[in-house]
Amino acid sequence: MLRKDILTSDKAQASTADNAEIERFNALAEEWWKPNGKFKVVHAFNATRVGWLSTHVPAAFDRAAMTT
C-alpha cells in the first residue's frame, strides 16, 4: 500500500535526467513555434497528420471517426 506519510521528495535521488539533454531540448523549445523557423517543414505536415490520426486512431479502438 502506498503511504503518503513516508514518501520522500528527494528529487536528486530519483532523477535520471541528463542536464545536457534538458538544456538541448530547452534550446529547441525556443525555436519550435516559430512559423518560419527550423521546424517549418514539420509544421507543414500537421494537416496531413491530423487527418490520418482522425481516421486511424478511432479505427484502432473500434470506434467511429468523429466528424466536424
Side-chain angles (χ1 to χ4, degrees):
M1 180 159 93
L2 179 62
R3 290 187 48 192
K4 293 180 181 178
D5 60 321
I6 61 172
L7 292 177
T8 62
S9 63
D10 185 9
K11 291 182 181 181
Q13 180 182 6
S15 178
T16 59
D18 179 355
N19 286 335
E21 283 292 298
I22 292 171
E23 289 302 318
R24 185 176 82 114
F25 283 100
N26 281 340
L28 289 174
E30 292 293 322
E31 189 69 22
W32 178 254
W33 292 110
K34 293 179 181 177
N36 294 311
K38 294 177 185 177
F39 296 101
K40 180 179 180 177
V41 174
V42 175
H43 295 299
F45 284 106
N46 279 344
T48 302
R49 185 180 301 119
V50 169
W52 188 91
L53 289 170
S54 297
T55 302
H56 290 83
V57 171
F61 294 97
D62 199 26
R63 305 280 185 191
M66 293 179 60
T67 58
T68 55

